[in-house]
Amino acid sequence: MTKHRGRHRRRRRGRALRGVLAGTALALTAAATMISVSQATVEDDPGALKPLTSAAELDPLRLREEPAPERAPGRSVGVGTVLDHADRTLRDPAHCTTGERAALPVAPAATHAYCWDAADTRGWRSAGVTTSGDADDDGRWGEHRVVLSAWSTPGASRVAFVDADDLDRLRYTWVLLAAPAPEGAGGTGQRALRPAVSGLVWYQDKLLVGAGDGVYVYDLHQIRRADATTAAEHGTRFVMPVTGVYRTAGPDPVGLSLDRTTSPDSLVASGEGLLRRYSFSKEPGRAGLLATGLPAQAYRSEVDGSGGVLSYGSHWYVTQPAEERGTLWRQGTEEARPTRCGAEESHACWSAATPSLSYWEERGEVWSQSGRALFALELDAIDNALE
């Protein structure tokens, strides 16, 4: 009963926030009703997912693991220490700009919404999101609830570690992601991760980062304090050295998310119209790492574009980016359904672009971000908007 009461409280808070958003035009429902009939029907139905079964289709998706170069010795700090240095604050919806609020979905409406500091993120592009709900099924890392948010520039990527214990006041600090340096570069064999981040999953004590040419692995127990040069150049107090990389010969895995409804738990990814699932390893000493080899499942999706992907039970949720408003599709092996909104039953109800989706099972919420807007909404509300 305690879990149900907590869920009911969250739903009441969600309804209250949705009321505030609607009352101040943050939900943008009026904008949805202005979409013309031609816009409302322009999206083609992608149809059901098509399983990939042949060797020619599956072999390019085979996952191989590459170790990272040895790291220079140094003292590591934990996530708790990083959160102790959270000295920046996200803005609540009332203090977001009109443009920032326009990045929020129309339907379903967000239950939580925040905006990143413009000066702190200028020149950086928002990317993947994951939470302590991915890290552990009790929704916490130690005693904290945490949101991780990735951002990239052409020359570096960093992750905001957000203290989410108080959802009315989110505080954060930055951690730089490192990657193997080219051979002959000298030093510790690590430099700032340069490929743009496309997906993020925190599983047990590992952070898996989709970034252009592979999925990079970071150990949450190996966070280091940044030196003065790194801190000044990238605005970070901490740095995480890479511990390994997964690669495939096929399309790069993007839009990463975690699925706890499979056995074992699995990592799902999109990319060039392909959805695939890789199981986490059950081998001793490989906590938080993937099992290499062929994907456990793979499908072709006709949803245009490479957006975020989420798998839960038999459903796959895939976002379709667009210039102004995108679409969220729920696909299975029999049909596809989009979210609907406005008087004309438009499919253009979602954010323009959401690189990743993350399901926080303990809270029943899907977390994502678009532009400078970070938001959460209930998975039940997404399903209701699909009917």
Side-chain angles (χ1 to χ4, degrees), residues 272-306:
E272 296 187 19
L274 299 179
L275 308 181
R276 77 293 294 267
R277 178 191 309 280
Y278 297 102
S279 297
F280 280 94
S281 177
K282 286 188 170 182
E283 294 181 15
R286 289 185 56 81
L289 298 176
L290 294 167
T292 55
L294 293 177
Q297 288 181 323
Y299 300 93
R300 182 168 298 282
S301 169
E302 297 300 328
V303 173
D304 293 333
S306 295

Side-chain angles (χ1 to χ4, degrees), residues 12 39 131 141 200-201 209 248 327 343 378:
R12 286 196 296 270
Q39 287 175 302
T131 75
W141 182 254
L200 205 63
V201 166
V209 179
T248 70
T327 303
E378 295 174 353

Side-chain angles (χ1 to χ4, degrees), residues 144-196:
H144 294 291
R145 287 188 171 92
V146 189
V147 174
L148 303 185
S149 166
W151 293 72
S152 296
T153 65
S157 292
R158 61 185 185 178
V159 173
F161 277 58
V162 184
D163 184 340
D165 287 331
D166 181 359
L167 289 177
D168 292 327
R169 185 173 182 268
L170 298 189
R171 299 177 300 109
Y172 69 97
T173 192
W174 295 106
V175 176
L176 183 71
L177 298 177
E183 292 185 12
T188 64
Q190 305 262 330
R191 68 177 183 188
L193 177 66
R194 295 188 176 179

Side-chain angles (χ1 to χ4, degrees), residues 60-64 128 195-201 208-216 245-257 267-278 290 293 295 297 306-309 355-356:
L61 306 181
R62 185 184 298 274
L63 202 66
R64 68 181 189 275
V197 172
S198 58
L200 205 63
V201 166
L208 305 181
V209 179
D213 59 349
V215 176
Y216 291 76
V245 186
Y246 295 103
R247 303 190 194 277
T248 70
D252 296 321
V254 299
L256 308 182
S257 65
L267 178 85
V268 298
S270 59
E272 296 187 19
L274 299 179
L275 308 181
R276 77 293 294 267
R277 178 191 309 280
Y278 297 102
L290 294 167
Q297 288 181 323
S306 295
V309 61
S356 74

